[in-house]
Amino acid sequence: MPEMQLDVVDDLKQPEYTGENRCEPCTVLNLVIAAVVGSVIARKSRLGGVLAVGVSIALIYLRGYLVPGTPTLTKRYLPPEVLRWFGKEPDPAVASGLGTVDSTDRPAAGRETTFDEADAVASTDTDTDTDAVADASTVDADEPDVADLETFFLDHDVLEPCADRDDLCLTDEFETAWFDEIDPLAESGVDVDAAVDAFGFDADPDEFELETRGESRALLSSAGGAGRWPSRAALIADVAASRALETWIDDWDAFDPETKGEVLNGLRMFLETCPSGGDVRMGEEVVESCCTSHEVVAVTCEETGERLFEQRLTDVDA
């Protein structure tokens, strides 16, 4: 009998909506629904009401929700405004760089990972906190223009047409310079000082904190989030690329953190070898949470599964 009970519990469990994947606002809402249903039943039977609430709480704990089909319904029908109430900001990724998708389906370079709009610091996306950016960075009115990243990379011999396909590839010289910086960082890791220096924040590194959030990394300051990367490998790639560009581009130090983030994020997708070792692959994947799901084009390390770059497929198609 105990084994049968354990089997039933295991069958009810849904890890994709519980534990670290649990949507806390959704859980609160479902608990409120359980309380309302329990109070209605309790008007006719106090014991029935107690049992209804108990069973509801058990289901919410095991499954992450009470009403059947909740995840599918919220993903399909809830508008962005309602998702924001649940703390599920629609993906802020904005394509801003390498033009259109070429024959190899490489997406335009976006900025969905390096600087986070949701944290409202040092982001090129809309509705950002510009005061926080000004406090945390040095802004140069004479900063070079990198509105067209493709032209910028080609003009500085960072990229060139690939020899074997219709695409752009890293030049051998820059790839060598980049990995000369990646290799020692892959061994030692990246600390707060290195991250702050790479993006040129005009602030004391002691005012920042580099936080690990599962696979991702986040650079935090007293003003809010200063940067976010999908993996340790992505952070290493950006810091190493910034160091390589210091000797590659004469006026690299004139770029503010916001623009450096745009350049480095766009450049990361051209890596063909993962900073932690092994090849990288590009493909389409579905990213899901309890309330949203969307297709992305992702660049991922084959050996470790670390995500280097991600962009919503709708942004690529646009």
Side-chain angles (χ1 to χ4, degrees), residues 22-318:
R22 182 180 295 276
C23 171
E24 294 182 1
C26 297
T27 299
V28 172
L29 177 60
N30 277 268
L31 288 172
V32 171
I33 293 174
V36 171
V37 171
S39 65
V40 171
I41 295 175
R43 293 177 181 178
K44 295 185 177 181
S45 170
R46 180 171 298 181
L47 178 59
V50 172
L51 288 175
V53 171
V55 170
S56 297
I57 291 175
L59 287 174
I60 294 169
Y61 174 77
L62 293 172
R63 299 176 63 80
Y65 58 87
L66 176 62
V67 180
T70 293
T72 301
L73 292 173
T74 56
K75 293 170 188 176
R76 184 174 300 173
Y77 298 112
L78 286 185
E81 293 77 9
V82 177
L83 290 177
R84 291 189 181 97
W85 297 346
F86 289 87
K88 299 297 176 182
E89 186 72 22
D91 193 327
V94 176
S96 60
L98 293 176
T100 57
V101 182
D102 60 23
S103 59
T104 61
D105 291 334
R106 185 184 296 279
R111 294 202 53 273
E112 77 299 339
T113 50
T114 299
F115 289 105
D116 183 12
E117 177 187 11
D119 290 331
V121 177
S123 171
T124 59
D125 298 328
T126 58
D127 300 326
T128 56
D129 186 345
T130 55
D131 290 335
V133 175
D135 290 340
S137 63
T138 300
V139 179
D140 190 340
D142 297 325
E143 178 187 330
D145 180 19
V146 292
D148 184 348
L149 282 178
E150 178 179 329
T151 300
F152 176 80
F153 288 141
L154 289 170
D155 288 347
H156 288 89
D157 296 323
V158 172
L159 298 179
E160 64 183 359
C162 300
D164 57 350
R165 61 185 185 275
D166 184 17
D167 195 2
L168 294 176
C169 293
L170 295 170
T171 62
D172 291 340
E173 294 80 5
F174 184 78
E175 185 176 30
T176 298
W178 195 354
F179 272 89
D180 283 345
E181 300 292 346
I182 284 177
D183 291 339
L185 288 175
E187 292 290 332
S188 64
V190 173
D191 58 19
V192 172
D193 288 27
V196 171
D197 180 67
F199 291 91
F201 286 109
D202 186 19
D204 189 335
D206 291 339
E207 298 177 8
F208 292 82
E209 177 185 359
L210 192 58
E211 183 177 280
T212 298
R213 300 175 175 177
E215 292 295 325
S216 67
R217 300 293 185 270
L219 183 64
L220 309 176
S221 73
S222 57
R228 184 183 65 175
W229 296 263
S231 65
R232 176 180 182 269
L235 173 58
I236 288 173
D238 280 5
V239 172
S242 180
R243 292 179 176 181
L245 290 171
E246 284 183 10
T247 59
W248 205 262
I249 299 176
D250 292 337
D251 50 4
W252 179 246
D253 288 339
F255 291 71
D256 64 27
E258 175 184 345
T259 306
K260 285 183 177 180
E262 179 180 357
V263 172
L264 297 174
N265 187 79
L267 186 59
R268 195 189 317 138
M269 64 182 293
F270 290 94
L271 279 171
E272 296 187 6
T273 302
C274 182
S276 54
D279 295 333
V280 301
R281 69 174 186 272
M282 177 181 290
E284 296 179 13
E285 299 180 17
V286 176
V287 175
E288 296 198 21
S289 70
C290 72
C291 297
T292 62
S293 65
H294 54 266
E295 292 185 341
V296 300
V297 173
V299 178
T300 308
C301 298
E302 287 191 339
E303 291 187 3
T304 65
E306 292 176 284
R307 184 68 53 85
L308 292 176
F309 181 91
E310 178 182 301
Q311 183 167 314
R312 286 189 70 156
L313 199 58
T314 52
D315 293 326
V316 176
D317 293 339

